């Protein structure tokens, strides 16, 4: 099946006073209809900028300088602003960590939802748009949606606001949703509610979902496939189950070892020593070399390419630790 | 065995005073009242020397308020926090210094205009724990304890990464030889790979210096890893306290059970989320009886009317749920 989204060698750089910052440096991945792909990495690794690039939301000094973003057969990076505007919120929707990025504080929920529908469908009546809004609120688990439609965002709790912004993302039945840390600010029980709604949506409407997060455990629970990012590049990608069972990149291994849980009690957590290097000043060679137990001379001279190591599995490392190799 | 810390009937109310609009409306005959939040509502527990006691619960349930009262930087509305001085490692240290607090955001708790050497030695010099002449040697030792390069002695807080700043905050706390650390979301702001470094550091320090911890975190994985015992809070009240194994394997309170089911876990992998319903109610108007009843699958008429007491259901295991009366 043709993927809904196919990103190839995306390069999004920021031309800052201090130098060129390669926020996204050669990222490639695909998402099929109904598929959930996790994009994991620590802060500053380029996750959000990858999402913004697809949405056409990268502002100067940032610029997509190479690669293509193929959405249902069309190259998005070649589209005009107007054409992109039409796709945004209609065929592709984004959910942000802070729902107030989507919601307007001074308008009733109803007004915002009806406008979002009518903006992309001139022929729908206000009443029909209202009914669809109400039903979509119900779909994300908001009780008495008729009443809630009349409310303003501040009358909702954080979790409810996030569900409203998810409802807005779903309104026009997009083919692709990009969710950027949508549950990071939410409490565990509310996070469970939101994840459950998103899973249902993808299953029932075949929406493709890119789920951006720093939390590997969340991705493990929701995604089919995962891309692990480090310093602007994907270092490993594959099926979630495969990566959890057998992480191959030293960074992925370190990340998994450092997730605390009851299994690790009494033992020190495996820690990744050192820090992420500055994105303005990446070393020659592998960006992970200063924290890697397997680094050798080659790693500090040559940048490793991402290579296919098995069906659907890619890793960017010269020395995949013995024992992890397939 | 006597506990080193005993918290009895501890409560904190915050009064949310009227805003200008409400005051104005009252002048023309409306009747807006000041609202009271019972941020911490009649809480009792003990901590034994050398324990790490975790506190979990959702946002706004009173964890930080509890932590600040235990650390002595917020005065309780009623109730008491008692520290048993006879168990102190270091009896010469003034009692005001025995409990130190480590915050989520080390940046806002470190003076940006001071160098690290001064940040670390300010309190010990003031309290005459060290002579000023030993300042540099002392600060060097503290930095080494938390795994920082002594070369950083002359730096300002902004010249560090988040994880390093948290280490500076910990070094400052250790500098007064505390007995007890209250950690409030101390790793929440750090990157995943750095969190593990700081968690390991806390455990090392506990063993080396015979410390006792109250460790507040909304991250249940972290709590499970680090704690010996867990306190679960919901809307200002303790609903359950249990040894860690019991918490993980046999949680008693329906809220604890719901919380644990919602936790994403690496080892579980992909799964269908079955969420508990309902929103976290406003602390300004908590539900009657058992605060959890609107979201609880087992709620009865009694739960709506009557507050369940925190009762012992097994050794060291306490729960506040009416279901335990029927068994
Ligand atoms: N200074 C204050 N004035 C008024 N209300 C307050 C004050 N401090 C806390 N509260 C209220 O007391 C309750 C408990 O707050 P607290 O900060 O202890 O929660 P918490 O469990 O630490 O939450 P979080 O997980 O978000 O840090 C909340 O309803 C909060 O709004
Ligand atoms: N407007 C901007 N100007 C300059 N650099 C930026 C800008 N936005 C993001 N960056 C940089 O791009 C990199 C990737 O950022 P981002 O995608 O937001 O990271 P993540 O979402 O993974 O935390 C970071 O180094 C960040 O500092
Ligand atoms: S390429 Fe070298 S430095 Fe990079 S992850 Fe692999 S072994 Fe480590
Ligand atoms: S007291 Fe009732 S409402 Fe509260 S947790 Fe127990 S069964 Fe549920
Ligand atoms: Mg981001
Ligand atoms: Mg708090």
């Amino acid at each position: 099946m043709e993927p809904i989204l196919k990103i190839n060698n995306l390069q999004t750089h920021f031309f800052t006073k201090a130098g060129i910052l390669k926020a996204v440096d050669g990222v490639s991945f695909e998402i099929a209809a109904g598929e959930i792909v996790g994009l994991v990495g620590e802060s500053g690794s380029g996750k959000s900028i990858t999402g913004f690039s697809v949405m056409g939301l990268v502002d100067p000094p940032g610029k997509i300088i190479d690669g293509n973003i193929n959405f249902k057969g069309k190259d998005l990076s070649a589209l005009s602003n107007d054409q992109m505007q039409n796709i945004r919120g209609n065929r592709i929707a984004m959910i942000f960590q802070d729902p107030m990025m989507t919601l307007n504080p001074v308008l009733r929920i109803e007004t915002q939802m009806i406008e979002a529908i009518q903006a992309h469908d001139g022929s729908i009546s206000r009443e029909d748009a209202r009914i669809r809004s109400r039903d979509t609120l119900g779909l994300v688990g908001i009780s008495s949606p008729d009443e809630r439609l009349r409310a303003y965002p501040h009358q909702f709790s954080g979790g409810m606001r996030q569900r409203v912004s998810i409802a807005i993302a779903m309104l026009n039945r997009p083919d692709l949703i990009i969710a950027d840390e949508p549950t990071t600010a939410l409490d565990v029980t509310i996070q469970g509610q939101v994840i459950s709604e998103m899973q249902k949506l993808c299953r029932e409407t075949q929406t493709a979902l890119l789920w951006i997060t720093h939390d590997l455990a969340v991705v493990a629970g929701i995604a089919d496939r995962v891309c692990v990012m480090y310093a602007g590049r994907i270092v490993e990608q594959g099926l979630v189950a495969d990566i959890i069972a057998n992480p191959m990149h030293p960074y992925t291994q370190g990340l998994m070892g450092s997730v605390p849980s009851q299994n690790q009690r009494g033992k020190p957590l495996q820690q990744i020593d050192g820090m992420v290097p500055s994105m303005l000043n990446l070393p020659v060679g592998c960006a992970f070399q200063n924290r890697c137990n397997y680094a050798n001379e080659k790693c500090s001279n040559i940048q490793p390419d991402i290579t296919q190591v098995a069906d659907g599995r890619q890793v960017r490392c010269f020395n995949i630790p013995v024992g992890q190799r397939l | 065995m006597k506990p080193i810390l005993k918290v009895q009937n501890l409560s904190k109310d915050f009064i949310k005073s009227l805003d200008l609009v409400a005051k104005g409306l009252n002048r023309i005959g409306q009747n807006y009242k000041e609202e009271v939040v019972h941020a911490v509502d009649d809480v009792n527990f003990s901590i034994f020397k050398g324990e790490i006691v975790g506190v979990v619960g959702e946002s706004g349930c009173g964890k930080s308020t509890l932590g600040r009262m235990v650390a002595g930087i917020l005065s309780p509305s009623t109730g008491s926090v008692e520290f048993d001085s006879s168990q102190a490692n270091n009896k010469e240290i003034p009692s005001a210094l025995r409990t130190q607090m480590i915050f989520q955001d080390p940046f806002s708790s470190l003076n940006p205009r001071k160098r690290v050497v001064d940040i670390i030695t300010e309190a010990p010099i003031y309290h005459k724990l060290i002579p000023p002449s030993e300042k540099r040697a002392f600060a060097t030792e503290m930095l080494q304890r938390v795994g920082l390069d002594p070369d950083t002695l002359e730096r300002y807080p902004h010249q560090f990464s988040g994880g390093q700043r948290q280490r500076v905050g910990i070094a400052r706390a250790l500098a007064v030889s505390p007995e007890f650390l209250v950690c409030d979301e101390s790793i929440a702001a750090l990157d995943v790979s750095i969190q593990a470094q700081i968690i390991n550091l806390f455990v090392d320090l506990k063993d080396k210096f015979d410390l006792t911890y109250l460790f507040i975190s909304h991250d249940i994985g972290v709590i499970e890893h680090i704690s010996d015992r867990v306190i679960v809070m919901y809307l200002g009240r303790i609903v359950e306290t249990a040894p860690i194994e019991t918490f993980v394997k046999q949680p008693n309170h329906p809220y604890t059970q719901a919380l644990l089911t919602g936790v994403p876990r690496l080892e579980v992998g992909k799964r269908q989320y079955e969420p508990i319903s309902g929103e976290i109610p406003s602390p300004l108007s908590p539900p009657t009886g058992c605060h959890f009843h609107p979201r609880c699958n087992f709620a009865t008429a009694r739960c709506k009317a009557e507050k369940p007491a925190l009762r012992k259901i097994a050794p060291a295991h306490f729960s506040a749920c009416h279901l335990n009366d029927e068994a």
Side-chain angles (χ1 to χ4, degrees):
Chain A
M1 198 173 46
E2 258 308 284
I4 293 282
L5 179 75
K6 191 168 178 178
I7 299 181
N8 188 30
N9 189 34
L10 179 67
Q11 301 268 358
T12 307
H13 298 182
F14 285 88
F15 296 86
T16 70
K17 287 204 187 81
I20 299 175
L21 188 153
K22 299 180 179 172
V24 179
D25 188 9
V27 162
S28 308
F29 65 89
E30 317 178 339
I31 314 181
E35 194 182 27
I36 305 181
V37 172
L39 187 60
V40 208
E42 39 205 309
S43 84
S45 57
K47 308 181 296 294
S48 298
I49 302 299
T50 302
F52 290 163
S53 302
V54 176
M55 293 297 288
L57 291 176
V58 178
D59 293 324
K63 193 170 178 339
I64 298 180
I65 60 155
D66 201 3
N68 50 78
I69 303 171
N70 194 300
F71 173 69
K72 295 174 76 183
K74 255 190 261 160
D75 183 9
L76 294 184
S77 48
L79 294 188
S80 71
N81 275 346
D82 280 355
Q83 288 168 315
M84 198 57 220
Q85 181 82 44
N86 197 31
I87 289 184
R88 252 196 320 259
N90 185 20
R91 303 324 323 143
I92 310 181
M94 186 144 181
I95 300 165
F96 301 91
Q97 175 169 350
D98 177 2
M100 293 316 283
M101 296 270 285
T102 306
L103 300 175
N104 185 329
V106 299
L107 296 180
R108 290 184 201 278
I109 301 297
E110 181 176 56
T111 318
Q112 305 190 40
M113 294 186 85
I114 292 174
E115 273 175 11
I117 295 174
Q118 289 185 328
H120 297 285
D121 179 356
S123 61
I124 190 169
S125 74
R126 215 185 137 73
E127 186 47 29
D128 285 347
R130 212 191 69 86
I131 290 171
R132 200 204 295 173
S133 305
R134 182 197 62 196
D135 294 347
T136 317
L137 278 189
L139 221 60
V140 297
I142 293 207
S143 53
S144 35
D146 269 309
E147 258 166 66
R148 302 295 198 174
L149 270 179
R150 305 285 302 154
Y152 291 93
H154 75 260
Q155 293 169 299
F156 286 167
S157 68
M160 281 168 85
R161 266 183 234 150
Q162 190 57 296
R163 268 182 277 167
V164 173
S165 80
I166 292 170
I168 291 180
M170 290 164 55
L171 270 180
N172 296 313
R173 296 270 167 120
D175 302 300
L176 170 68
I177 293 182
I178 298 176
D180 190 357
E181 310 257 7
T183 58
T184 302
L186 303 180
D187 283 310
V188 174
T189 60
I190 309 295
Q191 167 169 284
Q193 295 173 6
V194 169
I195 293 182
S196 141
E197 299 306 335
M198 299 293 287
Q199 285 181 321
K200 202 167 81 191
L201 171 78
C202 294
R203 211 172 40 239
E204 288 169 5
T205 64
Q206 286 298 296
T207 309
L209 174 62
L210 180 65
W211 187 279
I212 298 177
T213 177
H214 65 277
D215 190 337
L216 202 54
V218 169
V219 162
I222 177 174
D224 303 301
R225 283 191 304 120
V226 59
C227 305
V228 180
M229 273 187 97
Y230 190 79
R233 301 181 190 127
I234 292 180
V235 295
E236 178 158 11
Q237 70 168 300
L239 292 174
V240 170
D242 291 349
I243 291 191
I244 302 248
N246 181 33
M248 290 195 207
H249 194 280
Y251 175 64
T252 319
Q253 285 172 24
L255 266 190
M256 282 185 50
S258 59
V259 174
S261 76
Q262 82 255 26
N263 309 334
Q264 312 253 16
R265 277 188 62 72
K267 290 175 254 168
L269 286 171
Q270 184 187 333
Q271 59 182 54
I272 307 176
D273 289 325
M275 302 182 273
V276 186
S278 153
M279 292 282 280
L280 275 167
N281 192 14
L282 288 179
V284 181
C286 177
F288 191 58
Q289 57 183 282
N290 65 324
R291 310 177 75 185
C292 182
N293 293 330
Y294 306 94
N296 58 16
E297 207 181 313
K298 188 173 180 190
C299 308
S300 44
N301 292 316
I302 307 170
Q303 201 199 109
D305 283 330
I306 189 148
T307 44
Q308 188 97 9
V309 294
D311 217 18
R313 186 74 180 274
Q314 300 176 342
V315 184
R316 187 190 289 276
C317 173
F318 293 127
N319 312 317
I320 295 173
V322 187
Q324 312 296 141
R325 284 178 210 161
L326 289 178
Chain B
M1 199 172 44
K2 255 176 79 186
I4 194 162
L5 188 95
K6 200 164 176 187
V7 168
Q8 282 176 301
N9 305 105
L10 193 66
S11 297
K12 182 72 193 183
D13 298 336
F14 290 109
I15 296 175
K16 211 174 150 231
S17 43
L18 294 180
D19 58 19
L20 282 177
V21 178
K23 278 184 188 153
L25 289 173
N26 278 354
R27 228 167 278 137
I28 56 170
Q30 296 290 326
N31 187 18
Y32 283 91
K33 295 214 171 62
E34 284 183 335
E35 291 178 293
V36 179
V37 189
H38 303 289
V40 171
D41 182 6
D42 194 20
V43 156
N44 293 279
F45 63 92
S46 301
I47 298 183
F48 295 90
K49 187 165 168 137
E51 265 192 316
I52 300 186
V53 174
V55 183
V56 286
E58 296 176 288
S59 183
C61 71
K63 304 181 296 294
S64 298
T65 308
L66 174 65
R68 289 161 64 211
M69 289 193 285
V70 169
I73 58 176
L74 179 73
S75 56
S77 300
T78 55
S80 63
V81 176
E82 275 169 49
F83 187 89
D84 177 12
S85 315
S86 71
Q87 294 186 56
N89 298 323
N90 201 330
K91 306 219 167 35
E92 291 84 70
I93 304 291
S95 58
L97 298 177
R98 282 197 183 124
T99 305
Q100 291 291 314
M101 187 141 179
I102 300 189
F103 298 92
Q104 167 167 358
D105 177 10
F107 208 38
S108 60
S109 62
L110 299 177
N111 186 337
R113 278 181 295 276
K114 285 212 162 110
R115 292 178 193 276
V116 165
V117 56
D118 295 311
I119 288 175
I120 292 176
T121 53
E122 187 177 20
I125 291 177
Y126 177 84
H127 291 281
K128 303 207 164 60
L129 304 178
I130 57 163
S133 59
E134 279 173 23
K135 179 166 139 170
R136 294 185 66 84
F138 181 81
T140 301
E141 193 191 328
M142 291 300 135
L143 285 179
Q144 281 165 340
R145 277 187 189 177
V146 298
L148 280 175
D149 190 333
D151 284 356
T152 57
L153 219 53
E154 299 293 335
R155 287 203 207 161
Y156 293 97
H158 74 266
Q159 295 171 303
F160 290 94
S161 71
Q164 289 174 323
R165 267 198 302 264
Q166 195 56 285
R167 289 177 195 264
V168 174
I170 298 168
R172 180 184 58 175
L174 292 180
V176 293
S177 307
E179 307 282 337
F180 192 96
L181 293 185
V182 176
C183 302
D184 188 4
E185 301 284 1
S186 307
I187 57 162
L190 305 175
D191 261 325
V192 192
S193 71
I194 308 297
Q195 284 192 356
Q197 297 176 3
I198 303 294
I199 292 176
N200 287 344
L201 176 64
F202 277 130
V203 175
D204 278 355
L205 294 172
K206 174 193 122 116
D207 295 341
K208 264 191 207 133
F209 302 105
D210 208 2
L211 300 173
T212 306
Y213 287 77
L214 186 70
F215 198 95
I216 299 172
S217 175
H218 70 278
D219 186 331
I220 291 169
V222 172
I223 291 289
E224 286 176 354
H225 176 77
I226 204 172
S227 321
D228 301 306
R229 216 147 46 84
V230 183
I231 293 176
V232 185
M233 289 183 76
Y234 192 72
L235 287 179
R237 294 178 187 163
I238 293 182
V239 297
E240 181 161 7
T241 72
I244 188 69
E245 294 78 19
T246 315
F247 171 80
V248 171
K249 298 208 183 87
Q250 294 152 332
N252 175 271
H253 199 278
Y255 173 64
T256 314
Q257 292 170 358
L259 204 58
L260 286 167
T261 347
V263 179
R265 293 182 192 280
L266 263 189
E267 61 275 14
V268 172
K270 189 161 181 185
R271 64 179 176 122
Q272 210 60 51
Y273 275 83
E274 291 298 341
I276 60 164
S277 56
E279 291 297 319
I280 303 164
S282 159
L284 281 171
S285 51
T288 54
C290 172
H291 285 342
F292 188 56
H293 82 254
R295 303 173 77 192
C296 181
N297 291 332
F298 311 102
T300 61
R302 183 180 175 204
C303 304
K304 230 174 178 171
E306 191 187 324
K307 168 184 165 178
L310 186 67
R311 289 200 302 111
K312 189 170 193 165
I313 55 170
H317 190 186
F318 296 78
S319 176
C321 172
H322 292 312
L323 290 178
N324 294 318
D325 290 354
E326 285 147 30

